[in-house]
């Protein structure tokens, strides 16, 4: 499987560009995000599948040898210990295709990101205190 720049405008189009075994992995990740973040919206950003909840929630993508998962820097920092066996950087992690994909960990990260975004939204909605 070659890695290529996608011209997809929907997540369905993006996933359809890959072989069946990779499609299955991407669809499972998509379902996990949909279940953990039912209010999130689907989009293509940075030419990869993205879920937003007021702001970017998570991104994911398929590459030649791995699935890239991008839960923002806070998502990778919070789960640093659980992600330690994977190649990771600030805000991203690579799940090798020759190893089982940690779907439950992905779910936990998405749940964390939803709570984080809800807290940010609630904090912005609170009236600011006046200083005298």
């Amino acid at each position: 499987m070659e890695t290529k720049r996608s011209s997809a405008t929907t997540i369905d189009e993006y996933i359809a560009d890959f072989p069946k075994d990779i499609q299955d992995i991407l669809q499972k990740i998509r379902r996990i995000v949909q279940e953990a973040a039912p209010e999130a919206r689907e989009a293509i950003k940075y030419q990869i599948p993205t879920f937003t909840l007021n702001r970017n929630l998570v991104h994911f993508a398929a590459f030649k040898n791995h699935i890239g998962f991008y839960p923002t820097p806070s998502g990778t920092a919070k789960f640093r210990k659980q992600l330690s066996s994977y190649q990771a950087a600030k805000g991203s992690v690579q799940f090798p295709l020759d190893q089982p994909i940690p779907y439950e960990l992905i779910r936990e990260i998405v749940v964390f990101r939803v709570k984080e975004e809800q807290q940010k939204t609630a904090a912005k909605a609170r009236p600011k205190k006046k200083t005298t």
Side-chain angles (χ1 to χ4, degrees):
M1 175 178 72
E2 286 187 32
T3 303
K4 60 185 185 237
R5 294 295 247 182
S6 176
S7 61
T9 59
T10 67
I11 293 179
D12 285 326
E13 290 174 5
Y14 179 89
I15 291 173
D17 282 344
F18 292 93
K20 176 77 168 96
D21 59 331
I22 304 301
Q23 287 181 25
D24 291 345
I25 293 168
L26 295 172
Q27 285 290 13
K28 187 160 184 178
I29 293 170
R30 181 187 198 183
R31 279 192 305 276
I32 287 167
V33 177
Q34 289 170 330
E35 291 167 5
E39 295 177 10
R41 295 182 177 266
E42 292 188 353
I44 295 289
K45 292 189 178 190
Y46 310 106
Q47 298 178 319
I48 61 174
T50 302
F51 280 83
T52 63
L53 191 62
N54 300 317
R55 290 171 285 277
N56 290 339
L57 186 67
V58 297
H59 312 271
F60 61 95
F63 295 92
K64 184 177 180 180
N65 297 311
H66 71 275
I67 297 295
F69 186 64
Y70 310 92
T72 75
S74 62
T76 53
K78 173 73 174 174
F79 293 88
R80 182 175 291 120
K81 185 176 181 180
Q82 296 94 317
L83 295 170
S84 64
S85 62
Y86 302 101
Q87 185 172 339
K90 185 177 180 182
S92 67
V93 63
Q94 295 179 7
F95 300 124
L97 290 171
D98 62 355
Q99 297 176 23
I101 304 296
Y103 295 113
E104 189 52 38
L105 178 56
I106 291 171
R107 180 183 313 281
E108 290 173 28
I109 294 170
V110 174
V111 168
F112 167 77
R113 288 287 298 124
V114 168
K115 288 178 184 174
E116 185 177 52
E117 286 303 317
Q118 289 171 336
Q119 289 170 349
K120 286 180 185 177
T121 300
K124 282 188 173 191
R126 284 188 213 118
K128 294 182 179 179
K129 293 182 180 179
K130 292 183 181 180
T131 56
T132 52

